[in-house]
Amino acid sequence: MRKLRNIFNLGVKELRSLSRDPIMIFLIVFSFTFSVYTKATSMPESLNKVAIAVVDDDHSKLSKRIIDALYPPYFLPPVMITENQMDARMDAGVDTFSLHIPSGFERDVLAGRDVAIQLNVDATRMSQAFTGGGYIQSIVNSEITEYLQGYRAKTAMPVELTLRARFNPELNNGWFASVMEIINSITLLAIVLTGAALIREREHGTVEHLLVMPVTPFEIMISKVWSMGMVVLLSSFFSLTVVVQSLLGVPIEGSLVLFFSGVTLNVFAATSLGIFLGTIARSMPQFGLLMFMVLLPLQILSGAMTPFESMPKPVQLIMQLAPNTHFVSMAQAILYRGADFSIVWPQLLSLCVIGIVLFSLSLAWFRNSLGKMI
């Protein structure tokens, strides 16, 4: 009971210390609210309200069909311009796409002749340039095909491809981005809060006070783990339920209880890693540099940004040792696909084992560093 009381009191001390740190409070609030919202809405990878201009020299029914198909929200209403204006508007950055439909276009299409349509693309707008070119090509081909069916006999295709989008039927990038931002923020804050708490005590000289108290390194470490972990858990719960589900309207398929069970295991591993980094670093700038070396590979190579299966095999094998990899896989399975315990238990078990190993290594290193200070 004395150990539990010490762990509780030390954890409360950490929470009080955190409450007096406005920078950390701002980081927590920003990471789980504004950052999640802007990630989901400000920079969508899909085409959204792109400026397009059209030079229609044909003025036919077919050209009008193509122009009418360039509708919001993918494109802004097309601006009708002349051929002389096309290059000048593109040079000034007014238009991302300029579509030139030549004279006699409908006549040549009905006659079965080869027809060329010119599409100018401002490739400095990378994401829109790559995505929009394919969209416009698909729209033009679709409208031509439907138009020709009214003039030629229909030809039955031997195979019909039916596309069904699972788990994200709207193909809305915001659904993916908002949830993944929470997943990344959970690991980020768990490492930063515990590492910064340890360094803050070293810089303020309170570590020496702890050494003369009847507490063990285990009690000191586990108090930081539970207190900072609780902050991350409560913040992520608020972000997922209020910001993601209520404000952004993103549907969550799986069990929140199962998801936050996985969050707890991941936070346990991440806070242990944070203490390990905080023990190595002697100042906050050093800790920041270590975070760059550790956190970026964890996020980039965990499958949060690109599919894990597309990475080289050696990278996949190495990243199996990182808690982030299993946490991202588990979170995506539960929140996107509604997976239950029978599907995600391998990831939960991996998180538990990795967390115990990281905690044991961090405790040994922490105990050794405290021994040198005595």
Side-chain angles (χ1 to χ4, degrees):
M1 291 300 296
R2 183 182 63 82
K3 288 187 176 182
L4 291 177
R5 188 163 51 250
N6 289 341
I7 291 172
F8 175 78
N9 291 331
L10 288 172
V12 172
K13 177 188 74 68
E14 295 296 336
L15 293 176
R16 289 176 177 173
S17 177
L18 178 63
S19 66
R20 292 190 293 268
D21 191 337
I23 300 299
M24 284 298 175
I25 295 296
F26 173 78
L27 177 61
I28 295 170
V29 174
F30 176 84
S31 298
F32 286 107
T33 55
F34 186 76
S35 179
V36 174
Y37 184 83
T38 55
K39 189 73 173 181
T41 58
S42 63
M43 294 183 64
E45 294 179 4
S46 57
L47 213 60
N48 186 48
K49 296 182 179 179
V50 179
I52 183 170
V54 179
V55 180
D56 186 10
D57 288 338
D58 192 42
H59 301 289
S60 61
K61 292 182 179 179
L62 180 55
S63 65
K64 188 176 186 305
R65 282 181 61 117
I66 294 174
I67 296 170
D68 291 341
L70 303 171
Y71 51 79
Y74 302 116
F75 303 95
L76 292 172
V79 178
M80 306 306 298
I81 61 174
T82 64
E83 186 176 356
N84 295 330
Q85 296 175 303
M86 186 167 60
D87 289 341
R89 289 173 61 91
M90 184 68 69
D91 293 341
V94 177
D95 302 319
T96 303
F97 298 99
S98 294
L99 184 66
H100 183 194
I101 304 176
S103 176
F105 171 70
E106 181 185 64
R107 180 192 64 237
D108 293 339
V109 167
L110 292 175
R113 304 188 187 99
D114 291 335
V115 185
I117 295 181
Q118 178 180 339
L119 177 65
N120 292 344
V121 182
D122 182 358
T124 59
R125 302 172 182 179
M126 290 295 293
S127 60
Q128 293 182 340
F130 280 113
T131 308
Y135 270 58
I136 295 174
Q137 181 179 0
S138 176
I139 289 171
V140 171
N141 290 336
S142 176
E143 294 300 324
I144 291 175
T145 301
E146 291 183 10
Y147 185 75
L148 289 177
Q149 287 177 353
Y151 292 88
R152 300 177 183 175
K154 295 183 180 180
T155 303
M157 297 295 293
V159 177
E160 181 180 357
L161 179 65
T162 301
L163 176 65
R164 293 186 176 90
R166 297 291 303 276
F167 315 121
N168 187 358
E170 295 184 5
L171 299 179
N172 189 336
N173 180 66
W175 291 16
F176 175 82
S178 58
V179 174
M180 292 312 302
E181 184 66 14
I182 293 179
I183 293 173
N184 289 333
S185 296
I186 288 172
T187 303
L188 167 67
L189 267 299
I191 296 176
V192 169
L193 290 179
T194 48
L198 184 58
I199 294 175
R200 184 168 53 241
E201 286 193 344
R202 183 183 293 117
E203 292 179 343
H204 293 171
T206 54
V207 174
E208 288 79 2
H209 297 168
L210 292 176
L211 292 176
V212 299
M213 294 176 63
V215 294
T216 63
F218 173 81
E219 294 171 3
I220 297 173
M221 182 169 169
I222 200 67
S223 65
K224 296 182 185 300
V225 169
W226 83 256
S227 57
M228 298 300 103
M230 185 184 69
V231 172
V232 174
L233 277 172
L234 294 177
S235 301
S236 59
F237 178 78
F238 173 84
S239 182
L240 187 63
T241 55
V242 177
V243 179
V244 173
Q245 287 186 289
S246 300
L247 187 59
L248 294 173
V250 178
I252 301 300
E253 297 296 333
S255 168
L256 292 182
V257 174
L258 183 60
F259 170 69
F260 281 102
S261 299
V263 172
T264 303
L265 293 176
N266 181 68
V267 167
F268 173 63
T271 50
S272 301
L273 179 59
I275 291 178
F276 179 75
L277 296 178
T279 306
I280 296 176
R282 295 300 172 183
S283 64
M284 198 62 74
Q286 289 185 8
F287 180 69
L289 292 176
L290 285 175
M291 286 293 297
F292 275 108
M293 297 173 59
V294 173
L295 188 63
L296 288 180
L298 281 180
Q299 292 186 345
I300 294 174
L301 302 178
S302 64
M305 297 183 179
T306 57
F308 186 72
E309 295 76 14
S310 65
M311 300 178 190
K313 288 295 182 182
V315 174
Q316 294 185 32
L317 293 175
I318 295 174
M319 289 304 297
Q320 291 293 338
L321 303 176
N324 243 36
T325 303
H326 306 283
F327 178 56
V328 169
S329 176
M330 179 217 68
Q332 290 179 342
I334 295 174
L335 299 180
Y336 293 145
R337 300 188 288 274
D340 56 18
F341 179 79
S342 63
I343 296 177
V344 300
W345 72 264
Q347 287 80 22
L348 293 173
L349 179 61
S350 299
L351 283 172
C352 185
V353 172
I354 293 173
I356 293 174
V357 172
L358 283 175
F359 184 84
S360 302
L361 293 175
S362 300
L363 179 60
W365 194 277
F366 182 57
R367 183 182 287 115
N368 181 60
S369 65
L370 291 179
K372 293 180 180 179
M373 296 179 63
I374 299 176

